């Protein structure tokens, strides 16, 4: 197969995943929340089990007027939703779906690349907050920046633990080195990574930057129509990315009960949607953390625990 054809197929596959997987997660969130909270509305659109709810939401966003505040920095204001989306697209390029290089672009330093790119999300938050010329947006942006900068540390330390255990920064290499007993040994790192990942994508209970009871809708207050929809899409893509990274780093990726390389992609997707379900479940089950509680959890619990896990991993590696 010519190189350019292979390149087009790989990039095309990643773009299709980027456009479809977040929509499936969004649809699942509508249904899961409807069942858990007894909501009737999402179960009616389109007839059978409310299958058209997401379509109805999309039509609604398209019809809404695109408004830019008079005092806003127009260029930055309009660019922020794209900056929120693009990093996740780049991350999906290097996350392996299955064995035999079933990945958009295999990188030997894939984990380093992922952690560097995910951190760009704080830029979109600050851009939208500052450019909106709204005090509620600015407060939400400052909260978001403090949250993202804080939780980046335990996220990186937890990922470093599993990378040290595998002896590689390659995401595919980590999956190949993974053993079932790591579910116990690296369990603290997995929990830390998962919690910090939730904070990175600002999902409940870590949604202080968009606290509607205090800040209207935080850094997204002034956005309408498709630009607001792009921020929501970035949230759902973030769920996919965090679920996929948790799967690849801590749950064995494409490895399953049956050693069949042809079904590796299926095991990966099943694990990703299982983790995404847990993320949705947490949104329904837990109230929003206060700002002091959020920062205390980061600096007094997650950071010391991640450092302890890193020391444990180093000790085990030396012993082995």
């Amino acid at each position: 197969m010519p190189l350019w054809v292979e390149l087009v197929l790989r990039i095309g596959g990643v773009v299709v995943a980027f456009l479809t997987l977040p929509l499936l997660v969004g649809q699942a969130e509508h249904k899961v929340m409807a069942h858990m909270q007894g909501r009737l509305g999402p179960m009616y659109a389109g007839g059978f089990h409310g299958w058209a709810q997401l379509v109805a939401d999309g039509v609604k966003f398209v019809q809404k007027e695109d408004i830019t505040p008079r005092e806003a920095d127009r260029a930055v204001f309009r660019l922020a939703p794209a900056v929120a989306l693009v990093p996740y697209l780049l991350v999906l390029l290097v996350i392996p779906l299955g064995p035999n290089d079933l990945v958009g672009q295999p990188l030997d330093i894939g984990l380093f690349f992922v952690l560097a790119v995910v951190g760009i999300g704080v830029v979109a938050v600050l851009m939208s907050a500052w450019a909106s010329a709204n005090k509620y947006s600015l407060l939400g942006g400052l909260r978001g920046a403090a949250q993202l900068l804080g939780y980046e540390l335990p996220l990186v330390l937890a990922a470093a633990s599993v990378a040290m255990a595998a002896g590689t920064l390659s995401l595919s290499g980590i999956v190949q080195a993974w053993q079932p007993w790591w579910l116990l040994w690296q369990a603290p790192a997995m929990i830390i990574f998962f919690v910090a990942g939730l904070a990175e994508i600002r999902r409940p209970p870590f949604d202080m930057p968009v606290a509607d009871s205090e800040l209207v809708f935080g850094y997204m207050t002034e956005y309408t129509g498709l630009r607001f929809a792009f921020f929501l899409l970035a949230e759902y893509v973030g769920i996919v990315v965090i679920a996929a990274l948790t799967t690849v780093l801590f749950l064995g990726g494409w490895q399953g009960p049956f050693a069949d390389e042809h079904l590796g992609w299926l095991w990966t997707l099943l694990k990703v949607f299982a983790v995404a379900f847990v993320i949705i479940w947490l949104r329904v089950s837990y109230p929003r953390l206060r700002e002091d509680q959020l920062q205390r959890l980061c600096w007094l619990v997650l950071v010391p625990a991640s450092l302890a896990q890193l020391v444990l991993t180093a000790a085990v590696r030396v012993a082995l």
Side-chain angles (χ1 to χ4, degrees):
M1 180 185 297
L3 179 61
W4 68 271
V5 175
E6 181 180 354
L7 183 62
V8 169
L9 290 176
R10 287 178 181 270
I11 295 177
V14 172
V15 172
V16 169
F18 178 77
L19 295 176
T20 57
L21 292 180
L23 298 182
L24 293 176
V25 170
Q27 182 75 353
E29 181 169 60
H30 279 92
K31 303 310 167 190
V32 170
M33 292 182 65
H35 282 291
M36 288 186 172
Q37 297 182 329
R39 296 185 178 187
L40 298 179
M43 309 303 287
Y44 279 89
F48 177 73
H49 212 69
W51 66 269
Q53 179 62 49
L54 209 62
V55 177
D57 288 342
V59 172
K60 176 185 68 176
F61 283 126
V62 170
Q63 290 178 334
K64 287 184 177 292
E65 183 180 2
D66 183 16
I67 299 174
T68 302
R70 182 184 299 111
E71 301 299 325
D73 186 328
R74 292 178 177 269
V76 177
F77 182 85
R78 294 174 177 175
L79 185 61
V83 175
L85 274 172
V86 170
Y88 294 129
L89 175 60
L90 296 177
V91 169
L92 288 177
L93 278 171
V94 300
I95 295 180
L97 183 60
N100 302 322
D101 281 341
L102 189 57
V103 58
Q105 178 58 53
L107 289 179
D108 291 336
I109 55 170
L111 181 58
F112 177 82
F113 174 83
V114 164
L115 295 176
V117 172
V118 167
I120 298 176
V122 67
V123 177
V125 172
L126 291 175
M127 287 173 64
S128 60
W130 175 258
S132 294
N134 181 301
K135 62 181 179 181
Y136 295 112
S137 297
L138 184 58
L139 286 172
L142 293 177
R143 283 183 179 183
Q147 177 173 317
L148 296 178
L149 292 175
Y151 279 85
E152 190 77 18
L153 181 57
L155 185 81
V156 171
L157 291 175
S161 173
V162 72
M164 183 185 298
T168 179
L169 289 174
S170 167
L171 294 177
S172 297
I174 291 174
V175 176
Q176 292 169 357
W178 184 87
Q179 300 293 330
W181 66 278
W182 285 21
L183 290 173
L184 295 177
W185 177 37
Q186 294 296 322
M190 179 178 66
I191 295 172
I192 293 167
F193 183 89
F194 180 73
V195 172
L198 288 182
E200 285 288 309
I201 59 176
R202 301 169 296 282
R203 286 285 298 184
F206 302 98
D207 56 339
M208 281 298 291
V210 292
D212 53 327
S213 60
E214 304 169 25
L215 303 178
V216 187
F217 215 61
Y219 60 92
M220 293 187 283
T221 296
E222 297 293 349
Y223 283 89
T224 59
L226 284 178
R227 298 187 196 280
F228 181 75
F230 287 156
F231 271 116
L232 293 184
L233 179 62
E235 179 179 332
Y236 288 129
V237 182
I239 293 176
V240 173
V241 166
I242 293 301
L245 288 175
T246 303
T247 295
V248 168
L249 295 176
F250 300 99
L251 299 178
W254 63 75
Q255 297 191 43
F258 308 105
D260 187 347
E261 293 187 354
H262 300 293
L263 292 179
W265 61 273
L266 181 59
W267 287 117
T268 301
L269 289 179
L270 287 175
K271 294 175 184 178
V272 167
F273 280 109
V275 176
F277 173 79
V278 175
I279 294 175
I280 297 170
W281 192 354
L282 290 175
R283 173 179 180 176
V284 178
S285 303
Y286 288 92
R288 179 185 303 124
L289 294 176
R290 295 197 315 265
E291 184 66 24
D292 61 317
Q293 294 172 330
L294 187 146
Q295 294 296 340
R296 188 179 298 114
L297 174 64
C298 174
W299 295 106
L300 299 184
V301 178
L302 296 186
V303 171
S306 59
L307 289 172
Q309 176 65 30
L310 202 60
V311 172
L312 172 63
T313 302
V316 173
R317 285 287 295 178
V318 171
L320 295 177

